[in-house]
Amino acid sequence: MAIAIGIAWLLFMYIGVPIAFVLGASAMVGVLLAPDGLDLLPALVEQMFIAVSSFNFLAIPLFIFAGGVLAEGGIAKILMDLASITIGRGRGGLGASIVMSAMLFHGISGSSSADAAAIGKVTLPTLRAQGYPLPFSVALLATAGATGTLIPPTMDLIIIGIVGNMSIAGLFSAGILPACVNGLGLMALVVYISRRRGYGNVTIPFAWRKVLLALLKAVPALSMIAIILGGILGGVFTPTEASSIAVFYGLFLAFVVYRSLTLRQFLGLFRTTIEISGMVLLVIAMAAMLGYALTIFQVPVGLGRLLDTLAPDKILFLLFVQACFYVIGMCMDTVPAILILIPILTPLAIARGIEPIHFGILVECNVALHLACPPVGNVLFTACAVGNTPLELVIKPILPMIGILTVTMLIITYVPDIAMYLPRLLKLVD
């Protein structure tokens, strides 16, 4: 029956069925072909409702709404001004400041696509004026947005925490240093390429007065990071409660402090939030159906036996996991892969002495990489749309950036202390 599920999956993908319905339909095909399959169909529906009934999933639409408020409220320009005046001087400085501002903005919005859209609208004209080619600029925008996805709050880490039975606070804290490793690697590459090719020919003079003014203007926005992360990591409130606080504080910034959000934009955010949240929760529900079908056909047991043979030790197992997610990420969105594989692979990782939180972070590093990878990278397509640039022109300049993020991903994979330092320091793990 597992073979039937695989064949149905490939067939539905080939004919262009939306991924949520690929998950549900392939599960139903496998169940119907099993003995007494009709008797199992009600259980599939029950699994859908059980999957989305977790209170923690309420954080997803709330963080999406808060991110939309901040993206529409002009916060990206404020953060970009701060990044430009501090590290954006000299050749390659503006490119490095885009990476920094994307990471800061993700810590506020929680959305990599919102990062790319908001920051791209602000920076692409300036990049062109400083001599950066448009395809290179779009590639940088896409990889910078993808790099920020490890900065909490992020939807993927919430999903990984729920389906993998991991501490969401622990995952949030564990993502910060790996994100810095990715960001520093990307900044170094951008500065190297810019100096070698002569990009960024405008030098921004350093002035303490301008730095202080930009910092003061950005303090209310940066305070949101401190409030959300400080509250979650300090045990003051849960991630779901933090998402509610993010909405109210974001509205306060947009309407009272910066006064940059119109009523029409605000009302439009409700529709956007409903659409995105509906898609995500539908995928979660359908993935639960497929996960249940795979479980009753003992696919996890078979996969465990296979890995005991092919990857008995930690090093080979981690390489297998990254290769598996890498291949899947080239074909489809990685959220379904997280929902299906994390519950199966996490116990196998624990059995090999791998910390669950470190395992979740290394998977998220792979997810971040594929957000900017052709042919299905969501952030890459967002950046191409903002820059009005065909995808084929961006592939060549983005390959070195994908390469450096692959190297940093492997470093984070095989040096667990990078991810585990902050959770241990904050006593979020044993």
Side-chain angles (χ1 to χ4, degrees):
M1 295 305 108
I3 295 175
I5 290 176
I7 294 173
W9 173 296
L10 294 174
L11 178 61
F12 291 136
M13 289 284 289
Y14 179 76
I15 63 178
V17 176
I19 185 60
F21 299 105
V22 170
L23 299 170
S26 57
M28 291 184 65
V29 167
V31 168
L32 287 173
L33 292 177
D36 301 323
L38 288 175
D39 296 333
L40 292 174
L41 285 180
L44 291 181
V45 179
E46 183 181 1
Q47 290 299 314
M48 290 177 60
F49 285 97
I50 292 174
V52 296
S53 62
S54 172
F55 178 73
N56 289 325
F57 278 134
L58 183 60
I60 292 176
L62 290 173
F63 274 129
I64 290 172
F65 186 75
V69 168
L70 296 167
E72 293 289 342
I75 309 298
K77 185 178 186 309
I78 295 168
L79 296 177
M80 189 64 217
D81 289 343
L82 175 63
S84 297
I85 202 66
T86 51
I87 68 170
R89 305 183 308 279
R91 293 198 183 276
L94 181 60
S97 66
I98 287 175
V99 179
M100 177 182 173
S101 58
M103 294 173 69
L104 290 175
F105 189 69
H106 193 280
I108 296 172
S109 71
S111 170
S112 296
S113 295
D115 287 3
I119 293 173
K121 293 175 184 177
V122 174
T123 60
L124 283 179
T126 308
L127 286 166
R128 293 298 306 277
Q130 291 200 16
Y132 290 84
L134 185 57
F136 179 86
S137 302
V138 171
L140 173 59
L141 185 64
T143 49
T147 297
T149 197
L150 281 163
I151 299 288
T154 181
M155 183 176 66
D156 291 337
L157 291 180
I158 294 172
I159 295 174
I160 288 173
I162 294 172
V163 301
N165 195 26
M166 305 174 196
S167 165
I168 296 177
L171 287 169
F172 278 8
S173 63
I176 296 173
L177 290 183
C180 293
V181 171
N182 282 346
L184 290 172
L186 187 57
M187 286 182 192
L189 177 68
V190 170
V191 171
Y192 171 77
I193 293 175
S194 299
R195 291 183 176 179
R196 187 174 180 181
R197 300 178 184 175
Y199 301 159
N201 51 15
V202 176
T203 301
I204 301 174
F206 182 81
W208 281 109
R209 184 175 180 274
K210 291 183 178 180
V211 171
L212 290 175
L213 288 175
L215 181 60
L216 287 173
K217 195 172 182 181
V219 162
L222 295 176
S223 297
M224 186 170 182
I225 303 176
I227 292 171
I228 295 174
L229 289 186
I232 294 174
L233 302 182
V236 179
F237 39 71
T238 66
T240 305
E241 293 166 345
S243 64
S244 303
I245 294 170
V247 169
F248 283 104
Y249 188 73
L251 291 173
F252 174 74
L253 291 181
F255 280 118
V256 179
V257 178
Y258 297 120
R259 300 181 182 179
S260 52
L261 185 68
T262 66
L263 183 60
R264 183 175 181 179
Q265 290 173 316
F266 173 67
L267 295 176
L269 289 173
F270 284 98
R271 178 174 180 175
T272 303
T273 301
I274 292 169
E275 290 175 350
I276 297 175
S277 303
M279 289 188 291
V280 172
L281 293 174
L282 180 61
V283 169
I284 291 171
M286 293 294 187
M289 292 176 59
L290 182 56
Y292 177 75
L294 294 175
T295 300
I296 62 176
F297 297 136
Q298 296 188 333
V299 172
V301 175
L303 181 60
R305 291 173 180 168
L306 179 64
L307 287 176
D308 286 338
T309 303
L310 299 179
D313 62 354
K314 182 188 299 187
I315 295 176
L316 289 177
F317 176 78
L318 291 175
L319 186 61
F320 170 83
V321 169
Q322 294 295 31
C324 181
F325 275 95
Y326 195 91
V327 171
I328 291 175
M330 296 294 291
C331 306
M332 57 178 283
D333 192 282
T334 46
V335 171
I338 289 173
L339 294 167
I340 296 168
L341 294 178
I342 284 289
I344 297 174
L345 294 176
T346 301
L348 301 177
I350 295 173
R352 287 164 173 79
I354 301 168
E355 288 275 2
I357 288 177
H358 175 229
F359 183 71
I361 291 300
L362 65 89
V363 169
E364 182 60 17
C365 285
N366 204 308
V367 171
L369 179 65
H370 280 97
L371 289 175
C373 263
V376 294
N378 293 335
V379 180
L380 176 59
F381 282 113
T382 301
C384 288
V386 173
N388 194 24
T389 305
L391 176 62
E392 55 269 22
L393 296 180
V394 182
I395 291 177
K396 183 177 179 180
I398 206 172
L399 288 179
M401 303 178 193
I402 295 297
I404 197 70
L405 291 180
T406 302
V407 171
T408 56
M409 177 185 72
L410 292 174
I411 292 172
I412 294 163
T413 299
Y414 289 108
V415 185
D417 287 343
I418 297 174
M420 297 306 299
Y421 176 75
L422 285 180
R424 288 169 181 160
L425 181 67
L426 298 171
K427 301 187 184 306
L428 294 172
V429 295
D430 295 331

